[in-house]
Amino acid sequence: MDRRKKYTQMVLKESFLKLLNEKNLSSITVKELCQLADINRSTFYSHYADQYDLLSKMEEEIIDDMTLYLNGCNLTKEDEAEQVTEKLMEYIVKNKEVCQTLLGGNGNAGFLQKVMAVAKENIKKSGSLENQLSEDIAEYWSTFIVSGGIYVIKNWLERGMDKTPKEMAGMINAFANSGFNMLKIH
């Protein structure tokens, strides 16, 4: 992709995030997006079908980028849970604006579902539940932990990231482990 296309997409994404911070997705028009980005509508349509397509592509990029980032960590099994969570928190810090916007009130609820699906898949890949919980209980537990973790992250973002990524990772993993230990007792 040439520099002009990259620049155009970057400006459109930045303008879109700005608008998404101010209002709901359904209230954003391509016209106002183009005005804010100082881009012709025809240029916008050469890249995206509409504002929903732009959002979808941004979400896909974040999910792919997050997955690549986490896969590149090269952690051992013993280190994995807390360090992967810490790496995720560091990723969020590096991409604060886009994560805050996409996970915020004006974002797309579908994005939360995508993030949850990726997180649940990583839990299943780790194999940490296979020998300890039945498949149906493991599914409920992973849904509970991932949902709770995402909402803890949202709260952390709303509070201005008042804790370090390491502190947040420790907290999230402590919550998850205490819930897991309670499940094993019952």
Side-chain angles (χ1 to χ4, degrees):
M1 187 181 318
D2 70 30
R3 286 189 345 214
R4 286 182 303 165
K5 285 183 180 181
K6 283 183 182 179
Y7 174 78
T8 299
Q9 289 179 345
M10 179 192 71
V11 169
L12 284 168
K13 289 173 188 173
E14 287 173 357
S15 298
F16 185 64
L17 286 174
K18 183 175 181 176
L19 290 171
L20 201 53
N21 276 322
E22 297 169 4
K23 55 174 131 182
N24 290 327
L25 175 62
S26 60
S27 301
I28 297 173
T29 65
V30 171
K31 180 180 178 181
E32 72 181 322
L33 177 56
C34 291
Q35 285 175 337
L36 183 60
D38 197 24
I39 302 286
N40 286 325
R41 286 170 60 104
S42 60
T43 303
F44 175 87
Y45 288 117
S46 70
H47 295 279
Y48 307 103
D50 55 25
Q51 65 272 36
Y52 298 97
D53 183 41
L54 171 57
L55 178 62
S56 177
K57 288 192 168 117
M58 286 177 68
E59 291 172 347
E60 286 173 24
E61 286 175 20
I62 289 293
I63 295 292
D64 291 346
D65 190 42
M66 189 182 302
T67 302
L68 281 172
Y69 181 79
L70 291 175
N71 288 342
C73 292
N74 291 330
L75 302 172
T76 64
K77 280 277 190 219
E78 301 83 51
D79 300 331
E80 207 166 272
E82 192 160 336
Q83 287 191 0
V84 166
T85 306
E86 185 177 347
K87 291 296 181 191
L88 175 62
M89 304 314 276
E90 289 171 359
Y91 178 85
I92 291 169
V93 168
K94 285 165 73 171
N95 297 280
K96 176 187 174 189
E97 184 181 344
V98 70
C99 289
Q100 200 164 26
T101 301
L102 294 178
L103 291 172
N106 292 334
N108 179 10
F111 181 64
L112 282 175
Q113 299 300 322
K114 291 175 191 175
V115 170
M116 288 175 64
V118 168
K120 285 174 66 175
E121 190 57 37
N122 281 330
I123 288 172
K124 287 179 186 175
K125 274 188 208 174
S126 74
S128 61
L129 304 177
E130 288 175 359
N131 299 324
Q132 300 179 44
L133 299 175
S134 67
E135 190 174 325
D136 65 323
I137 298 296
E139 177 67 24
Y140 284 120
W141 180 81
S142 64
T143 299
F144 178 77
I145 294 304
V146 169
S147 312
I150 287 172
Y151 282 92
V152 166
I153 291 168
K154 284 179 67 162
N155 186 267
W156 178 58
L157 286 166
E158 289 165 7
R159 293 174 58 152
M161 296 189 294
D162 58 345
K163 306 250 183 260
T164 67
K166 187 171 188 65
E167 290 172 317
M168 290 304 297
M171 242 191 311
I172 290 170
N173 282 298
F175 298 154
N177 289 334
S178 63
F180 182 71
N181 290 333
M182 292 302 291
L183 269 177
K184 290 192 320 186
I185 292 170
H186 293 87

